[in-house]
Amino acid sequence: MLALATACTGSTVQGRPGASGLRDPYFPKAGNGGYQVDHYRLDLAYDPGDGVLHGKAVITARAEQGLSSFNLDLSGLKVEDVTVQGAGARFNRTGNELTVRPADDLRTGEVFRTEVAYSGKPKALSDPDGSEEGWIPVEDGAVAVGEPVGSMTWFPGNHHPSDKAAYDVTLTVPKGYEGVSNGLLRSRTDTGDGRTAFAWHSAEPVASYLVTAAVGKFKVATGQTASGLPLYTAVAPGEPEGGGPGLARLPEMVEWGAARFGPYPFAAAGAIVAPSQTLPYALETQTRPVFPGAPDEGLVLHELAHQWFGNSVSPKTWKDMWLNEGFATYAEWLWTEEHGGPSAQRRFEAFLAGDTSVDPGADSDWDAFPPAAPPGPEEISAGPVYYRGAMVLHRIRQEAGDERFFALLRGWVADHRHGNASTADFTAYAERKTGLDLSKVWDTWLYGKGSPR
């Protein structure tokens, strides 16, 4: 074990170890204390032929206390070298924690750069609900998804949604393959050794679970929305042209979302369509959601809505997941309401009545627990977080009326843009924005343990 005794830096400042977890209600070891990351530069090389990932992570962060050591989350993979501020650093591994001891203590407020060289065959993680996340090998490629903590299977970092950062990701892959990540593609370069390097840039803050990397023989399509937003879509071989008719409506959906919720919060949009059966779920990876096979219209809208709700306004803890999923589900209801389908009111009533002719989810356990208090980590993506979460929003709409309700949605996104928020932040904001006492809605629908009626 690495000794973590405090040491003098030569000034009056003494460092102490940063915490190895942020005590998230459901994932207490996720994230790390003592610093906040400003920027990640990830240089990754991957060959599907041998499945080995070679990586170098350059992490620029700010110390929030004097640090004699700090932790990074990293699962598996061999760490080959670590430097801090250009000097060699001692390090050790315990479970999913990489503990780094700089040559000199870091002062409170100091901006410091950590470089980690690593390699190996990444292994996926099993979530509490039994699904897999992380670096997922697929036929002739791989795709990375990270909710809630799977990003630590392919790069070291502060893996909790409360620490968002800008990213530059370079993926170097064999010729004939595409390397796809978040944000804008800055360059595509022939490296001269039979490989191609794809350099991606995300200027807006990203929670690490929303970072992706995909390698495959994708068919890439580019374009833009009516308002000029760049679009980049990568579709796996064997999937429908362009990702199918649902994805074809993405440009229209982006414009609709901007009109309903406020300006689209990022510099690009698009999608990654992985081979069918890659995953049992889609994920709203920032600017470029990952879909297992061609998605239908509702799924495209849901993951797009997350760009506002979950990606720009991210949860403070994993207990706040309904702020992601309830809002994205209600966005689906709004889209359907305005495009020839059942109204949100009719869907709300269908869930109360168990009417699956309106919504197949109406006979689910949508009322099994309050959306603001899932019983455990295995339930943060369960039905009540989505459906009952959406019903909370509809109850606010019923109380406030459309004008105040939609002003609330736009205001919430604008006032918390690129930040983090909790359920308590939302309830206080909703009452302040609408001017209403919504305590009965919170007590019955958001926090109530019984079936709401």
Side-chain angles (χ1 to χ4, degrees):
M1 292 288 291
L2 177 68
L4 298 181
T6 59
C8 183
T9 64
S11 71
T12 58
V13 178
Q14 280 194 317
R16 65 185 190 274
S20 61
L22 293 178
R23 297 184 180 179
D24 183 274
Y26 296 142
F27 298 91
K29 296 298 288 183
N32 302 283
Y35 65 93
Q36 287 279 310
V37 179
D38 296 324
H39 180 264
Y40 290 87
R41 191 184 82 211
L42 305 177
D43 293 311
L44 309 172
Y46 184 73
D47 186 341
D50 62 18
V52 176
L53 177 70
H54 298 272
K56 179 181 178 181
V58 181
I59 304 166
T60 303
R62 183 181 300 273
E64 296 189 313
Q65 65 182 54
L67 287 170
S68 61
S69 68
F70 59 91
N71 286 58
L72 297 167
D73 302 311
L74 182 65
S75 175
L77 303 175
K78 179 184 178 181
V79 176
E80 296 157 352
D81 186 61
V82 180
T83 66
V84 179
Q85 301 294 58
R90 294 159 57 195
F91 62 90
N92 78 309
R93 303 289 297 278
T94 303
N96 294 328
E97 298 291 337
L98 170 63
T99 302
V100 177
R101 173 72 181 270
D104 296 303
D105 283 9
L106 301 168
R107 296 174 175 85
T108 302
E110 182 176 353
V111 176
F112 64 99
R113 190 174 79 168
T114 304
E115 298 187 17
V116 182
Y118 60 98
S119 63
K121 292 186 177 182
K123 294 182 179 179
L125 298 177
S126 292
D127 287 341
D129 65 4
S131 60
E132 282 197 333
E133 54 162 327
W135 188 274
I136 310 293
V138 299
E139 185 177 353
D140 214 13
V143 61
V145 288
E147 186 179 285
V149 294
S151 293
M152 68 178 175
T153 66
W154 59 283
F155 70 95
N158 197 13
H159 292 299
H160 189 268
S162 62
D163 191 1
K164 301 166 72 170
Y167 280 78
D168 283 279
V169 178
T170 299
L171 280 166
T172 301
V173 297
K175 276 189 178 180
Y177 289 82
E178 303 288 326
V180 186
S181 189
N182 312 80
L184 292 167
L185 180 62
R186 280 189 158 176
S187 65
R188 172 180 179 148
T189 306
D190 186 338
T191 63
D193 59 356
R195 300 186 300 169
T196 308
F198 297 81
W200 294 89
H201 176 64
S202 296
E204 303 92 354
V206 190
S208 66
Y209 80 94
L210 298 170
V211 181
T212 189
V215 177
K217 295 182 177 179
F218 299 110
K219 183 172 183 180
V220 170
T222 60
Q224 62 181 30
T225 66
S227 61
L229 182 75
L231 300 172
Y232 187 104
T233 300
V235 179
E239 296 300 320
E241 182 76 17
L247 199 55
R249 300 197 72 174
L250 178 62
E252 174 190 358
M253 290 177 177
V254 171
E255 300 298 320
W256 175 85
R260 267 292 177 222
F261 311 131
Y264 181 80
F266 305 114
I272 298 168
V273 180
S276 299
Q277 310 304 317
T278 299
L279 296 164
Y281 57 87
L283 187 65
E284 62 273 17
T285 40
Q286 195 155 301
T287 69
R288 202 146 290 116
V290 172
F291 299 99
D296 62 24
E297 185 176 305
L299 187 56
V300 174
L301 193 284
H302 184 99
E303 305 307 336
L304 173 66
H306 275 308
Q307 306 307 309
W308 288 268
F309 305 108
N311 295 13
S312 179
V313 187
S314 301
K316 281 186 177 177
T317 77
W318 288 111
K319 192 174 184 178
D320 301 308
M321 270 286 280
W322 84 276
L323 292 173
N324 294 18
E325 301 301 351
F327 280 62
T329 300
Y330 198 70
E332 286 185 74
W333 294 9
L334 294 174
W335 169 265
T336 302
E337 179 175 85
E338 297 179 26
H339 292 83
S343 67
Q345 176 64 27
R346 191 176 172 202
R347 287 216 193 212
F348 180 84
E349 293 169 350
F351 275 87
L352 292 177
D355 185 355
T356 57
S357 68
V358 176
D359 193 309
D363 68 347
S364 68
D365 60 351
W366 65 267
D367 57 351
F369 59 81
E378 69 280 0
E379 301 289 350
I380 63 171
S381 295
V385 174
Y386 289 70
Y387 301 129
R388 187 166 162 179
M391 295 171 84
V392 169
L393 295 173
H394 193 71
R395 282 292 296 117
I396 299 171
R397 184 181 179 186
Q398 289 174 330
E399 295 290 328
D402 279 8
E403 183 176 350
R404 284 190 289 185
F405 175 72
F406 287 108
L408 165 63
L409 293 186
R410 289 189 294 271
W412 175 249
V413 171
D415 292 346
H416 296 81
R417 183 180 175 89
H418 300 320
N420 294 84
S422 67
T423 297
D425 292 331
F426 177 74
T427 56
Y429 186 89
E431 295 199 350
R432 185 168 66 251
K433 191 75 174 179
T434 63
L436 298 173
D437 178 0
L438 297 169
S439 56
K440 289 185 178 179
V441 175
W442 314 140
D443 291 346
T444 302
W445 289 87
L446 189 57
Y447 291 106
K449 294 183 178 180
S451 180
R453 288 293 184 266

